[in-house]
Amino acid sequence: AKADGRGAYRLFEPSMDAGAQARRALELDLRHAWERGEFEVHYQPLVELSNRRIAGCEALVRWRHPSRGWISPLEFIPVAEETGLIVSLGEWVLNQACVEATAWPKGTRLAVNLSPVQFKSRSLGSSVVTALAKSGLPASRLELEVTEMVLLQDSDLTLATMTQLRQLGVRLSLDDFGTGYSSLSYLRKYPFEKIKIDSSFVKDIGHDAGSAAIVRAVASLGRDLGMSILVEGIETTEQFERVKAEGCTEGQGYLFGRPVPSHEIREVLRGDAQR
Ligand code: C2E
Ligand code: CA
Ligand code: CA
Ligand code: CA
């Protein structure tokens, strides 16, 4: 952001350190980006490990900054969460993705990430209803991904919202499993249909017996609970073979496909359907 206008000295107090100033600049830039429509949704395949066919795609938001180029969501999502912008941004991603997914082959699922802040906004249920109604996407094709961070807040409201979403026919996935508090009681308390094992476990599955044992245990637990188990961050054939052998059902990662813009994912899906 530029130090334009008279308000500038208030936005960039001399007492702010460089980190705080950069943060403030990013906040302002993000607000402008929203007004100018600089966001885009990309899609990454989620594949069935048994036959490598595409079961669905995850929507991943991208910010094309006019001077800095692509900025990673890892950098701007936390800022959007702090400022509350994530509520409108998240709703936009959901609507955009639902519309685009209606052009995909029938049955291909759409996964959308939800921030804990969206869960707290209380309008989440109606936003989902609206996105489905406006796009015409069947609820059964939508998967909403939440992290354990969602489960750490007000559990009555969270559980009520999740139950409402399930009643609509939407599926819920527990994202980044293994990185947070990973309480197994979550799996009993909340109505998840899928666990997404974090990429950190697959990274050294070939030479770390501990990672392999955890993947195996989660896969076995998921099977007993009737859930699908997806492993994130699969980059090599060796990792793919390993997680399949450990009993996981789905995978995601550069081996199967990187996140790509909407028009490219349509090509990818068409190719997959012709196999
Ligand atoms: P995530 O939900 O865990 O998404 C998976 C991330 O792993 C994506 O990063 C994806 O590009 C990356 N990835 C996929 N396969 C591989 C692989 O084989 N190797 C490696 N090294 N990385 C892989 P991305 O797109 O940068 O997104 C980062 C995070 O930002 C997401 O992590 C998610 O937490 C958040 N995010 C992205 N889009 C949204 C959104 O629309 N809403 C919200 N609330 N969060 C979002
Ligand atoms: Ca995710
Ligand atoms: Ca994840
Ligand atoms: Ca992650």
Side-chain angles (χ1 to χ4, degrees):
K2 274 134 243 96
D4 49 0
R6 282 180 294 136
Y9 63 91
R10 269 187 278 123
L11 300 172
F12 296 95
E13 307 260 359
S15 60
M16 284 173 120
D17 64 25
Q21 287 196 17
R23 178 85 170 187
R24 186 78 187 109
L26 188 63
E27 266 178 50
L28 293 173
D29 258 15
L30 205 52
R31 169 84 31 213
H32 290 145
W34 174 246
E35 286 156 7
R36 295 191 203 118
E38 291 170 3
F39 297 101
E40 216 176 275
V41 186
H42 287 196
Y43 300 89
Q44 184 179 32
L46 310 176
V47 309
E48 214 77 68
L49 291 178
S50 60
N51 54 15
R52 285 185 73 152
R53 299 200 83 117
I54 300 176
C57 299
E58 178 174 4
L60 295 159
V61 70
R62 297 285 178 266
W63 175 12
R64 192 200 293 270
H65 189 281
S67 56
R68 291 179 58 197
W70 292 108
I71 300 183
S72 163
L74 294 173
E75 191 179 338
F76 69 82
I77 294 280
V79 181
E81 288 180 331
E82 266 177 40
T83 58
L85 181 68
I86 192 69
V87 176
S88 333
L89 180 61
E91 207 167 296
W92 177 81
V93 169
L94 179 66
N95 279 290
Q96 182 79 8
C98 284
V99 168
E100 287 173 346
T102 56
W104 299 349
K106 294 267 168 299
T108 308
R109 294 201 191 150
L110 166 69
V112 177
N113 292 285
L114 292 182
S115 155
V117 179
Q118 286 173 275
F119 257 86
K120 263 192 271 184
S121 74
R122 284 178 186 271
S123 56
L124 183 62
S126 61
S127 300
V128 173
V129 171
T130 306
L132 292 172
K134 279 205 299 198
S135 62
L137 187 77
S140 58
R141 284 177 57 190
L142 181 63
E143 296 180 349
L144 297 174
E145 301 192 355
V146 304
T147 64
E148 289 152 356
M149 293 308 291
V150 166
L151 312 178
L152 291 177
Q153 56 196 21
D154 177 1
S155 75
D156 287 345
L157 176 62
T158 304
L159 188 57
T161 307
M162 287 189 171
T163 306
Q164 182 195 3
L165 293 169
R166 283 293 298 124
Q167 281 164 352
L168 292 173
V170 170
R171 292 164 214 261
L172 298 169
S173 305
L174 182 54
D175 203 355
D176 296 350
F177 189 77
T179 56
Y181 297 88
S182 300
S183 164
L184 294 180
S185 66
Y186 291 155
L187 300 179
R188 201 179 44 171
K189 179 167 179 190
Y190 298 100
F192 290 109
E193 315 237 35
K194 185 184 287 186
I195 297 175
K196 295 187 79 174
I197 300 180
D198 191 71
S199 55
S200 52
F201 292 96
V202 80
K203 241 166 88 189
D204 32 34
I205 196 166
H207 39 265
D208 176 26
S211 291
I214 290 171
V215 169
R216 189 178 318 134
V218 175
S220 146
L221 182 70
R223 203 165 37 241
D224 290 348
L225 292 171
M227 303 166 87
S228 346
I229 306 293
L230 182 147
V231 180
E232 301 189 290
I234 299 177
E235 295 183 351
T236 67
T237 307
E238 188 208 1
Q239 292 169 339
F240 161 57
E241 295 297 347
R242 269 313 281 273
V243 301
K244 191 165 71 168
E246 301 298 4
C248 300
T249 52
E250 282 179 51
Q252 175 176 10
Y254 297 163
L255 177 69
F256 311 115
R258 291 180 177 258
V260 292
S262 173
H263 64 277
E264 279 182 50
I265 202 70
R266 283 202 296 273
E267 292 302 313
V268 171
L269 290 168
R270 194 168 308 143
D272 184 74
Q274 283 165 358
R275 267 183 32 195

